[in-house]
Amino acid sequence: MDRRVIRHGVTDSTSERAFAALAEGSASHGDVHLATAQTRGRGRLGREWSSPEGGDLYASLVLLPPPPGYDPVGLTMAVGLGVLRGLERAGGEELMLKWPNDVVDAAGAKLAGVLVESRGLQPDAPHYVAGFGVNITRTEFPAELTAERPVTSLRLLGITADTEGVLEEILGELEAALTQLIANPSALCSTFVRRAGLFNGPLEVQRGKELCRGRLLELDLEIGLTLETAEGAALTIPLEHVSALRQV
Ligand code: BTN
């Protein structure tokens, strides 16, 4: 993957800059849009991603694979794994994934978030923007953020790292995870299951308004998530119908 890092300084959102470049036709596969701060950083489920200046990482990677493109859930998992492994290479220990792709520490505090988006269905020219934000140097967070869930940073975990170094590690691991997504998706799924701690205990899976419970039997990109229910039956849920998943 040829890498071009486009530095924006303070901008609205690196993912928005990536989509603007796609819209004007100047984007290439592997472009990375990087900011020192974002005024309209966005997270999953329409949330804001708090993005002050001061050394945290805000980046969006443009992906323009050949048709048919990536499996959407597989891509989300691959980007999460890439960020997780990159943060381990930067010194993070005992990190885990939390469905679908938050990176959390051993205590469950959020260290990084991933947002994979695409706009408009173009089967002959698929495009994706994989945005990721990593708390590197921050030691204080807005109260509304910490009220929702515990949050941490590399610095709070005792790791001294700089934005560019962490970005390099993440991009290397992201590339490897994307290669594995194409070459060996079942291996990627197995790694994901292990790194998200899904094999251990019973799971609660939100499918629309329905809450399903069971032990994970299999996670397959085409088949979905297969659970063994308390009654011993196998229940398969397509991955695109899984809105939340947690261990109980
Ligand atoms: C989440 O909700 O956990 C996902 C957060 C993704 C944040 C990153 S920061 C860089 C990129 N630009 C954005 O506006 N969002 C993503």
Side-chain angles (χ1 to χ4, degrees):
M1 192 186 287
D2 287 334
R3 270 186 224 153
R4 211 164 45 142
V5 180
I6 300 135
R7 293 180 170 77
H8 294 281
V10 179
T11 190
D12 50 356
S13 153
T14 53
S15 295
E16 214 40 59
R17 292 307 93 220
F19 278 114
L22 280 162
E24 69 180 36
S26 64
S28 299
H29 181 66
D31 282 357
V32 180
H33 292 260
L34 185 66
T36 52
Q38 299 181 118
T39 53
R40 302 195 60 172
R42 56 175 183 262
R44 291 182 59 246
L45 309 171
R47 295 192 180 110
E48 182 200 349
W49 184 258
S50 152
S51 313
E53 214 153 7
D56 286 347
L57 174 61
Y58 315 110
S60 296
L61 173 65
V62 175
L63 297 168
L64 297 168
Y70 301 117
D71 174 276
V73 180
L75 176 59
T76 291
M77 290 177 5
V79 177
L81 272 172
V83 174
L84 171 80
R85 289 185 179 137
L87 291 176
E88 287 176 333
R89 289 182 72 90
E93 287 174 10
E94 294 181 59
L95 304 179
M96 283 187 69
L97 287 169
K98 183 166 170 270
W99 179 270
N101 50 19
D102 285 355
V103 178
V104 298
D105 72 2
K110 183 160 171 169
L111 176 62
V114 172
L115 178 68
V116 180
E117 300 171 285
S118 85
R119 283 183 188 163
L121 195 65
Q122 292 157 288
D124 51 341
H127 72 276
Y128 310 88
V129 172
F132 45 94
V134 181
N135 303 326
I136 298 183
T137 54
R138 229 182 322 171
T139 52
E140 283 175 14
F141 299 90
E144 60 271 22
L145 230 175
T146 49
E148 231 172 79
R149 59 175 119 67
V151 187
T152 192
S153 66
L154 286 178
R155 181 169 293 169
L156 285 172
L157 294 174
I159 297 157
T160 307
D162 65 276
T163 319
E164 298 274 341
V166 174
L167 178 65
E168 263 316 295
E169 301 291 13
I170 289 178
L171 291 175
E173 292 296 333
L174 261 176
E175 198 168 338
L178 291 170
T179 303
Q180 190 179 39
L181 172 62
I182 299 298
N184 194 349
S186 62
L188 183 97
C189 286
S190 305
T191 310
F192 182 88
V193 165
R194 190 166 48 79
R195 299 310 315 268
L198 299 180
F199 58 89
N200 274 334
L203 304 179
E204 245 178 27
V205 182
Q206 192 77 44
R207 169 168 67 178
K209 290 193 173 143
E210 187 190 3
L211 194 61
C212 311
R213 287 196 182 82
R215 195 174 61 81
L216 183 71
L217 292 177
E218 197 185 6
L219 191 158
D220 180 280
L221 292 182
E222 278 169 24
I223 299 169
L225 197 74
T226 306
L227 299 179
E228 180 185 45
T229 65
E231 297 75 36
L235 170 69
T236 298
I237 306 166
L239 289 174
E240 60 275 20
H241 294 176
V242 175
S243 49
L245 187 162
R246 65 182 189 96
Q247 282 224 340
V248 284

